[in-house]
Structures are given as structure tokens and as C-alpha cells.
């Protein structure tokens, strides 16, 4: 199971790296063309925008796994160990329900947009709006993979397997 988790996290990370690289190349080529030839790629801004949307939704699960999202822990810190675990359990259940609901909403919204096309790329908007259910689906998977250590000790795991107690905003931040 640990091996599959490492492969999943690595694939998610490399996908983000590839999207960021593509966005950088597209924007860089557009800027270069604009200054060298006084013409730009009409689709570059749109492609960069959609890559940014996909990166945001696809990367949220990796941020969740390292404890990088905003967290207010005053109540949790004031409770004894059992109370802290109960609050963390409620947080996991609440997040799981919310993420699953957003997968459903994202699918519905993407299906509604499938017949509209983007202005420059002429792609169906379903490919743009599919980022939402895919991203929230990844959040569900990441949450399920980190739920046990989070529930038991309130710690997050980095992609290299180390605890993220030292991370800003992590268990002790």
C-alpha cells in the first residue's frame, strides 16, 4: 500500500510539474514572439489560464497532505487528547463529505458546459471544468491516505514520508 501511495503522490507531483512547465513555455514563447515579431499567439493566454485552473485543483491534494491549507487550532489545542482526536475525526468526516459533494457538483457543472467552446482554443468547456471533479477526487484520495496519521497524532506527512510537524501551519504551527 505504501508503494502505491508513493507512486500516486509522485504521479500527482509530476503532473503538476509538467503543467507548470507547459504554462511557462507557452507564456515565454508568447512574450518572445510579441517582442521579436510584434505578433503573439492568440491562444496563449487562454491556455495558460486553463493550465493554472488545472494546477490549482490538481495540487490541492498535495497541499492538504502536507498541512499547507489554513488551519485554526485554538480549540483543538485547548482540549485533552481524546477531544483533539474527536475534533480531528469530525474534520476528516466533514472534509470527506464536502469533497465528495464537490465531485458531484463539478461533474454536473462540467456536463452543463460541454456544448460551449473556449474562444481561442475552440475546446469544449468540459475539459476546463473537469478540473473541479478531478481535483476534488484527488483531494478525497489524499485525505483517505493521510486520515489515520492525522486522526491519531494530528500530523501530516510530506511526500517523502517524513512528518510535517516542522511545517508552518502544520500540527505545531
Amino acid at each position: 500500500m505504501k508503494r502505491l501511495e508513493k507512486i500516486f503522490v509522485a504521479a500527482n507531483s509530476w503532473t503538476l510539474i509538467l503543467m507548470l512547465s507547459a504554462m511557462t513555455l507557452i507564456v515565454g514563447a508568447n512574450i518572445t514572439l510579441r517582442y521579436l515579431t510584434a505578433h503573439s499567439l492568440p491562444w496563449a493566454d487562454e491556455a495558460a489560464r486553463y493550465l493554472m485552473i488545472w494546477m490549482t485543483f490538481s495540487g490541492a491534494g498535495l497541499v492538504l497532505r502536507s498541512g499547507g491549507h489554513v488551519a485554526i487550532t485554538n480549540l483543538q489545542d485547548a482540549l485533552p487528547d481524546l477531544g483533539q482526536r474527536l475534533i480531528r475525526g469530525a474534520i476528516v468526516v466533514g472534509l470527506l463529505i464536502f469533497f465528495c459533494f464537490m465531485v458531484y457538483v463539478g461533474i454536473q457543472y462540467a456536463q452543463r458546459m460541454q456544448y460551449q467552446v473556449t474562444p481561442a482554443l475552440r475546446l469544449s468547456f468540459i475539459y476546463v471544468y473537469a478540473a473541479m471533479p478531478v481535483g476534488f477526487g484527488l483531494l478525497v484520495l489524499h485525505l483517505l491516505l493521510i486520515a489515520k496519521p492525522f486522526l491519531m497524532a494530528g500530523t501530516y506527512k510530506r511526500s517523502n514520508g517524513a512528518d510535517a510537524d516542522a511545517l508552518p501551519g502544520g500540527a505545531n504551527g
Side-chain angles (χ1 to χ4, degrees), residues 6 11 19 23 25 30 42 49 54 56 58 62 78 91 99 108 116 128 130-131 133 137 140 148 154 156 172:
K6 284 184 179 184
M19 284 190 276
M23 190 174 76
L25 289 172
N30 195 36
R49 182 180 319 119
W54 270 91
T56 300
S58 301
L62 292 173
I91 289 169
F99 294 162
Q108 297 295 316
Q116 293 184 10
V128 177
V140 168
K148 185 177 178 183
Y156 297 91
N172 295 331

Side-chain angles (χ1 to χ4, degrees), residues 4-92:
L4 287 175
E5 182 178 355
K6 284 184 179 184
I7 292 170
F8 169 65
V9 171
N12 195 176
S13 300
W14 277 105
T15 302
L16 289 172
I17 290 168
L18 290 174
M19 284 190 276
L20 181 61
S21 299
M23 190 174 76
T24 303
L25 289 172
I26 290 168
V27 171
N30 195 36
I31 291 169
T32 303
L33 284 172
R34 189 178 311 139
Y35 285 105
L36 293 179
T37 67
H39 293 81
S40 62
L41 302 169
W43 51 267
D45 294 339
E46 192 174 286
R49 182 180 319 119
Y50 300 149
L51 282 168
M52 179 67 75
I53 290 168
W54 270 91
M55 284 189 325
T56 300
F57 280 106
S58 301
L62 292 173
V63 175
L64 175 74
R65 122 183 257 97
S66 65
H69 290 290
V70 174
I72 301 171
T73 61
N74 294 350
L75 176 61
Q76 178 182 310
D77 295 341
L79 294 175
D81 190 48
L82 178 62
Q84 289 181 7
R85 286 187 185 168
L86 290 173
I87 283 189
R88 288 193 300 265
I91 289 169
V92 168

